[in-house]
Amino acid sequence: MARPKRALGELGKVTYTVEGSGLVVARGRVHDGNGRERRPSGSGATEAEALAALQEAADVAVGRVLARRTQLMTVAELATAWLKTAYHDDDPRVLRQRREQTVDGYASVVRAHVTPRAGAIRIADITADRADGLLMDIAREKSVTTANKVRNVMSLMFDWAIQQGHFSAAGSIQQTRYGAVVVANPIRATRRADEPNTVYFELDAVQVKYILHLIRDVWPERHRARYPVGRRPNYKLLADYILITLGTSERTAEPIAIRFQDVRFEAVEQPDGSLTMEALVWVGGTMVRTKSRGLFRQDSPKAERQKRWDRVPKFAAKVLSELVASHVPNPERNPDDVLFITERGRPRDPSAVGELLRMFRREFKPELLAIGVDAEHLTFRSLRKAVAAAVSNTAGVEVARDLLGHSDAAITEGHYAKRPDLIVEIAADALDEVFAGIDA
């Protein structure tokens, strides 16, 4: 009677040998996707480890799509395995790896929400209705935004589980309160929560000028009267950062990553024959912090395609000229040569600048409300929205799109205002027109 043919991925008889070093080597036979016999091997400190390594080698020989997997894991085990791969993806088909700070964000969501709530549940027991209930609880207890983050992370986890064979891509029958249903990724069958409506933010020159007056003139006196001794907030840093953000439309952590070589001044002849100096800024980096590297300058903004030159308005050019004039290179403490540095000559942390703005909002909430500015909405992102509104109203949404580095005007209209290498001239002209005199 003929021996039954082995299935794809099924190992034949496994033999074990022990090397002189004590390492156990497991060898077997397996048929690949073309029916050819392969003889993979694996090694480990014990027979169990060697067998596991042999099975991995057999999976590779057969092909990941055809490999048989029978491991049942919990959500916590899945999250651990997925994060390990997300940090160190060796797939040659992946051209652009996830940035480390992105995976750090995934790990934070897993640690704070996924593992405490569902870590002990087997992935085969996660049905769409159970996942939907989990997300609904998070939305009620935390926020809609948090629920959507958890949904995104868990969906990525289960997609990876399907790819690895831990879960059936073709669908698996699961018993729910509605009866037996066929599901693939149960997370994708859940309802995505509606995000809050976008809050559009506009500022005029009078409001900006008054905000700068509060920062430069009122805050120092008030703080000195309340705290005669001690460290003072860096009023000039906050005022300069607001002007640079308004002038460049950069994201929160991008102005702080501007280097000495990213600023260029050009003499421009005016119609009357006079010469004026205009400043251009290369938007080509951002400051980020990761668990492994700490704070560092990333050599691209949010996306590689958003690199661009901005011609900045006069009020921002004035700040940049001061920063460039006072800049002293320090390769040891400031290897990237950024312009915004601490008293010790090191690059500034964006979170410190954000805390400055929060301190200001808490201190001057009534004064801001009196000029029609909701303190809660006064953020560096809202300043970017104010730039988008100013440019869009004056020069059109297409100019605002280019200035903000968006790939589509629909993004600008949907989130900011109701890629050329050099930004069109009228963007800076529009900002000069709307915010004229704020640096006086």
Side-chain angles (χ1 to χ4, degrees), residues 103-141:
V103 187
D104 281 350
Y106 294 160
S108 177
V109 171
V110 167
R111 184 173 57 251
H113 305 290
V114 177
T115 301
R117 294 174 182 268
I121 304 174
R122 294 191 315 164
I123 60 174
D125 294 331
I126 296 290
T127 58
D129 63 327
R130 288 175 179 170
D132 199 64
L134 168 71
L135 296 173
M136 190 183 299
D137 289 343
I138 294 174
R140 286 170 176 162
E141 297 171 19

Side-chain angles (χ1 to χ4, degrees), residues 263-270 275-280 311-314 317 425 428-429 432:
V263 183
R264 194 168 76 201
F265 294 95
E266 294 181 348
V268 178
E269 185 176 359
Q270 301 301 317
L275 293 177
T276 59
M277 294 298 294
E278 294 185 348
L280 295 101
R311 183 173 73 82
V312 301
K314 297 181 180 63
E425 300 293 313
D429 295 337
D432 272 328

Side-chain angles (χ1 to χ4, degrees), residues 121-360:
I121 304 174
R122 294 191 315 164
I123 60 174
D125 294 331
I126 296 290
T127 58
D129 63 327
R130 288 175 179 170
D132 199 64
L134 168 71
L135 296 173
M136 190 183 299
D137 289 343
I138 294 174
R140 286 170 176 162
E141 297 171 19
K142 299 297 181 180
S143 69
V144 168
T145 301
T146 301
N148 282 339
K149 287 181 179 178
V150 173
R151 182 181 185 273
N152 180 53
V153 169
M154 290 189 68
S155 184
L156 291 172
M157 286 167 47
F158 274 79
D159 278 345
W160 183 80
I162 291 172
Q163 175 206 347
Q164 295 298 308
H166 300 306
F167 208 69
S168 173
S172 59
I173 297 179
Q174 296 185 0
Q175 296 296 328
T176 73
R177 61 189 177 189
Y178 303 110
V181 297
V182 178
V183 298
N185 183 336
I187 312 302
R188 292 192 181 277
T190 62
R191 181 188 308 173
R192 179 176 177 82
D194 292 333
E195 296 281 2
N197 291 333
T198 299
V199 177
Y200 296 99
F201 192 81
E202 295 189 35
L203 286 175
D204 58 33
V206 174
Q207 290 171 319
V208 175
K209 196 167 185 177
Y210 185 68
I211 289 172
L212 294 174
H213 164 68
L214 292 176
I215 296 173
R216 292 167 171 168
D217 304 320
V218 181
W219 199 8
E221 293 298 325
R222 183 180 295 187
H223 192 278
R224 190 176 299 111
R226 187 177 301 168
Y227 308 103
V229 296
R231 190 179 181 88
R232 312 265 184 229
N234 196 330
Y235 316 109
K236 186 178 187 312
L237 170 63
L238 181 57
D240 287 351
Y241 211 79
I242 287 175
L243 289 170
I244 292 294
T245 302
L246 283 173
T248 62
S249 77
E250 292 181 296
R251 293 179 174 84
T252 304
E254 291 174 358
I256 216 164
I258 297 175
R259 302 168 298 180
F260 181 81
Q261 61 265 39
D262 291 337
V263 183
R264 194 168 76 201
F265 294 95
E266 294 181 348
V268 178
E269 185 176 359
Q270 301 301 317
D272 61 0
S274 61
L275 293 177
T276 59
M277 294 298 294
E278 294 185 348
L280 295 101
V281 174
W282 174 245
V283 181
T286 186
M287 297 300 291
V288 297
R289 180 181 291 278
T290 64
K291 291 172 61 178
S292 64
R293 295 181 59 183
L295 182 70
F296 67 98
R297 183 185 183 278
Q298 175 182 283
D299 195 27
S300 72
K302 184 178 180 180
E304 185 73 22
R305 58 176 170 73
Q306 293 173 350
K307 289 184 175 182
R308 63 195 185 277
W309 281 102
D310 281 358
R311 183 173 73 82
V312 301
K314 297 181 180 63
F315 60 82
K318 181 179 178 181
V319 176
L320 288 171
S321 63
E322 293 174 355
L323 290 171
V324 168
S326 61
H327 178 71
V328 178
N330 188 336
E332 181 179 350
R333 295 193 173 188
N334 183 14
D336 289 312
D337 221 21
V338 297
L339 295 178
F340 283 102
I341 56 175
T342 66
E343 292 77 4
R344 297 185 177 182
R346 301 187 185 279
R348 287 194 177 274
D349 193 323
S351 64
V353 186
E355 178 56 29
L356 259 180
L357 184 57
R358 287 189 290 273
M359 289 173 60
F360 170 73

Side-chain angles (χ1 to χ4, degrees), residues 57-132:
D59 288 348
V60 172
V62 172
R64 291 186 182 273
V65 176
L66 300 176
R68 287 195 309 128
R69 306 290 179 105
T70 57
Q71 178 183 2
L72 294 176
M73 55 170 52
T74 64
V75 171
E77 292 169 340
L78 170 61
T80 300
W82 171 68
L83 284 172
K84 183 177 179 181
T85 302
Y87 274 114
H88 308 289
D89 195 342
D90 61 352
D91 190 336
R93 299 167 298 177
V94 180
L95 298 178
R96 298 179 181 86
Q97 300 292 339
R98 289 190 183 101
R99 287 172 173 160
E100 186 178 347
Q101 61 268 28
T102 302
V103 187
D104 281 350
Y106 294 160
S108 177
V109 171
V110 167
R111 184 173 57 251
H113 305 290
V114 177
T115 301
R117 294 174 182 268
I121 304 174
R122 294 191 315 164
I123 60 174
D125 294 331
I126 296 290
T127 58
D129 63 327
R130 288 175 179 170
D132 199 64

